[in-house]
Amino acid sequence: MRYPRDMVGYGPNPPQANWPDGAHVAVQFVLNYEEGGENNILHGDSGSEAFLADVVGAAPWPGLRHWNIESMYEYGARAGFWRLHRLFTERNLPLTIYGVATALMRAPNQLAAMQEAGWEIASHGYKWVEHKDMPPEVEREQIAEAVRLHTIATGSRPTGWYTGRCSLNTVDLVSEEGGFEYVSDTYDDDLPYWRVHQGRPQLIIPYTLSANDMRFVTASGFDNGEEYFQFLKDSFDCLYAEGKAGSPKMMSIGLHCRLVGQPGRVMGLQKFLDYIAGHDKVWVPTRIDIARHWAREHPYQAPTLIPSQLEKAEFVNKFGSIFEHSHWIAERAWSGELGPSNDTAIGLHFALRTQFRMASIEERFAVLRAHPDLASKLAAAKRLTEASAAEQASAGLDALTDDEREAFTRLNTAYVEKFGFPFIIAVKDNTKASILAAFETRLSNDAEEEFATACAQVERIALLRVEGLLG
């Protein structure tokens, strides 16, 4: 088993987004259209809806309709949608619709307005229900049915997908279905990225729950439109500043007809639209615009080496020499918890280094003794490992004068007699002069201090070797 979660992402150096016209930030608005697709015994469900509505402490009513919650969803279709439609069309702002297929089939007037406005209509699944306990085969069937109904309703199949109330299998199943230029069932980044499933790359455009109007009806959320505006403004200001400093990002904003479509809330959204209109270098795209931009600017490139996905024999063959003549460290690392976090140079070194640190004192002494003497007879006879030979050559230890060789021989002998293992130093960090100086200094250490120093140098050498392999 491999740990599947990716805690690395782009790390400290995200790619340059290259948004059109040098925009500092891409601000993307999503309107979730779920009204008519929610849980309801009229829709063949086992009970009523209880999610994202203005009923405090709502719970599903098995076998019953919940008139109040139905009314709130109907408000979204009857009034909230049209308020938001006016807000965006009057400003000629692009919008992405996450459309639940069964909701779209019950919304011919709203659908016509979406299409007349030129909005992107992505799929929000077959029904607005919970999927966490849904068997994969059932969810797979519902994904296919969502595509079928969406195509019937809109005239074309969806090219974007977001389930929302998803299962552990959703992103994999949607990737397997194919035909989607992006999937948004993640919340893990400020930029799109490629995710590979069964050898096929799928573009992921992360979505948001923090800048989502659902927080009007959740604990620790927004009490009013002003709080909503302030949160959106602060988020925008942070991302805009980062983009101006050379690292443009994406800001997603999730809306619901029945939530922010209420008059007491929509003014916060209106203030935010007015606020960003006062800034230059702001790109307001649809999600499909982002997907196509990213695919052009950052097409998928398969990595040449993914350590955590290697079979044991190949892993040990490639990384067994990172710690000199100590393949057992690589073997133990492979048997440990490897995952995406270990596929970088730092991450792989961490996995190997952890096994070295967890080894017994005797095992670590054996690793130290496995290292060759610097500028030794083995080096002269060209019997070093390839890595050791290259490292010693980098500091000119393969081309010593007679006086330098005599000095190294004298110091090596004294060091081994005192500590019982060869003098170890990360040669690539040093010159002949600094190595000789370190030799003299470390000979005065006590045994415990020098053991710790030598182990630290072994780890440093290992990091440099891993970086040479993975970059």
Side-chain angles (χ1 to χ4, degrees):
M1 291 292 293
R2 286 292 176 253
Y3 191 71
R5 299 171 64 197
D6 185 350
M7 303 290 198
V8 180
Y10 291 122
N13 300 301
Q16 178 54 244
N18 297 327
W19 299 135
D21 300 320
H24 297 326
V25 63
V27 181
Q28 203 287 304
F29 295 91
V30 166
L31 179 58
N32 295 266
Y33 196 87
E34 299 153 353
E35 289 75 9
E38 78 278 14
N39 281 290
N40 193 312
I41 61 173
L42 297 176
H43 306 159
D45 302 307
S46 61
S48 63
E49 186 56 73
F51 191 50
L52 298 190
D54 281 291
V55 175
V56 177
W61 291 359
L64 297 172
R65 294 173 63 188
H66 194 309
W67 184 260
N68 290 348
I69 286 187
E70 285 185 24
S71 295
M72 293 170 185
Y73 271 77
E74 288 158 15
Y75 181 93
R78 294 160 57 108
F81 171 82
W82 298 108
R83 181 170 288 119
L84 295 171
H85 180 268
R86 289 191 297 273
L87 187 64
F88 279 86
T89 55
E90 287 172 0
R91 288 167 171 73
N92 197 31
L93 285 176
L95 193 66
T96 291
I97 298 291
Y98 283 166
V100 174
T102 50
L104 293 177
M105 292 294 287
R106 298 184 174 106
N109 297 294
Q110 293 89 341
L111 177 57
M114 297 172 194
Q115 294 184 308
E116 184 178 351
W119 294 346
E120 175 201 3
I121 307 177
S123 181
H124 198 6
Y126 172 55
K127 298 170 75 171
W128 178 233
V129 298
E130 185 60 75
H131 291 73
K132 68 180 180 66
D133 298 319
M134 190 175 289
E137 60 273 14
V138 175
E139 188 173 2
R140 183 180 288 109
E141 292 171 357
Q142 293 205 0
I143 291 168
E145 182 63 5
V147 172
R148 187 184 76 86
L149 288 182
H150 187 107
T151 304
I152 291 171
T154 68
S156 58
R157 65 150 291 148
T159 54
W161 182 277
Y162 174 73
T163 295
R165 299 160 81 174
C166 64
S167 75
L168 193 62
N169 305 304
T170 298
V171 177
D172 287 346
L173 292 173
V174 176
S175 300
E176 291 170 21
E177 171 72 21
F180 293 102
E181 296 185 53
Y182 69 88
V183 177
S184 287
D185 276 297
T186 71
Y187 310 92
D188 52 3
D189 214 304
D190 296 314
L191 288 172
Y193 62 89
W194 295 97
R195 178 182 186 270
V196 177
H197 175 64
Q198 295 183 347
R200 176 190 295 174
Q202 173 65 64
L203 184 64
I204 304 295
I205 302 182
Y207 188 45
T208 180
L209 294 184
S210 60
N212 192 304
D213 69 353
M214 66 177 287
R215 294 182 59 203
F216 280 117
V217 291
T218 60
S220 301
F222 309 120
D223 285 335
N224 52 64
E226 189 62 28
E227 287 186 0
Y228 185 49
F229 164 69
Q230 190 62 50
F231 184 88
L232 295 181
K233 177 183 177 297
D234 288 347
S235 301
F236 173 85
D237 288 346
C238 174
L239 294 171
Y240 191 86
E242 289 180 5
K244 193 172 183 179
S247 185
K249 301 295 194 318
M250 174 185 71
M251 179 180 179
S252 295
I253 300 170
L255 311 172
H256 295 77
C257 304
R258 64 193 177 277
L259 299 180
V260 80
Q262 297 274 350
R265 296 165 175 163
V266 75
M267 297 306 291
L269 176 60
Q270 180 174 308
K271 285 182 66 174
F272 180 69
L273 296 181
D274 293 340
Y275 181 72
I276 65 172
H279 291 70
D280 64 352
K281 294 188 177 300
V282 177
W283 184 38
V284 182
T286 61
R287 286 180 98 70
I288 196 65
D289 292 335
I290 291 176
R292 290 171 181 171
H293 171 87
W294 202 262
R296 287 192 304 269
E297 294 291 324
H298 301 283
Y300 174 71
Q301 295 181 334
T304 56
L305 184 61
I306 307 177
S308 67
Q309 294 184 14
L310 297 178
E311 295 297 327
K312 183 176 183 179
E314 187 176 3
F315 184 91
V316 173
N317 181 58
K318 284 190 176 295
F319 307 119
S321 61
I322 296 298
F323 283 77
E324 192 84 4
H325 294 298
S326 302
H327 285 64
W328 57 268
I329 293 178
E331 291 171 356
R332 292 181 188 178
W334 186 90
S335 298
E337 188 186 86
L338 290 180
S341 293
N342 304 116
D343 291 331
T344 64
I346 289 175
L348 178 59
H349 175 255
F350 182 87
L352 296 167
R353 186 192 72 186
T354 295
Q355 296 305 321
F356 176 63
R357 291 183 178 182
M358 292 173 63
S360 67
I361 294 292
E362 292 76 16
E363 288 173 321
R364 281 185 282 165
F365 262 115
V367 174
L368 300 186
R369 295 189 187 104
H371 280 259
D373 291 336
L374 293 183
S376 65
K377 293 179 180 179
L378 284 177
K382 300 188 183 302
R383 291 172 55 195
L384 299 177
T385 64
E386 184 178 344
S388 288
E391 288 159 1
Q392 294 203 24
S394 71
L397 301 188
D398 60 341
L400 299 176
T401 66
D402 289 342
D403 288 344
E404 289 170 337
R405 186 172 294 105
E406 188 280 328
F408 271 102
T409 300
R410 173 177 53 81
L411 291 167
N412 273 324
T413 300
Y415 185 93
V416 173
E417 286 179 355
K418 180 172 182 178
F419 298 114
F421 52 83
F423 178 78
I424 301 168
I425 193 169
V427 174
K428 286 188 175 182
D429 293 334
N430 289 276
T431 64
K432 281 188 287 187
S434 66
I435 292 170
L436 286 168
F439 238 137
E440 298 281 4
T441 299
R442 286 168 55 185
L443 268 168
S444 65
N445 288 344
D446 61 34
E448 183 178 352
E449 183 179 10
E450 187 54 26
F451 177 76
T453 301
C455 285
Q457 288 297 309
V458 165
E459 293 179 4
R460 173 63 180 166
I461 292 167
L463 176 60
L464 293 171
R465 290 180 177 180
V466 170
E467 287 178 341
L469 289 174
L470 298 186

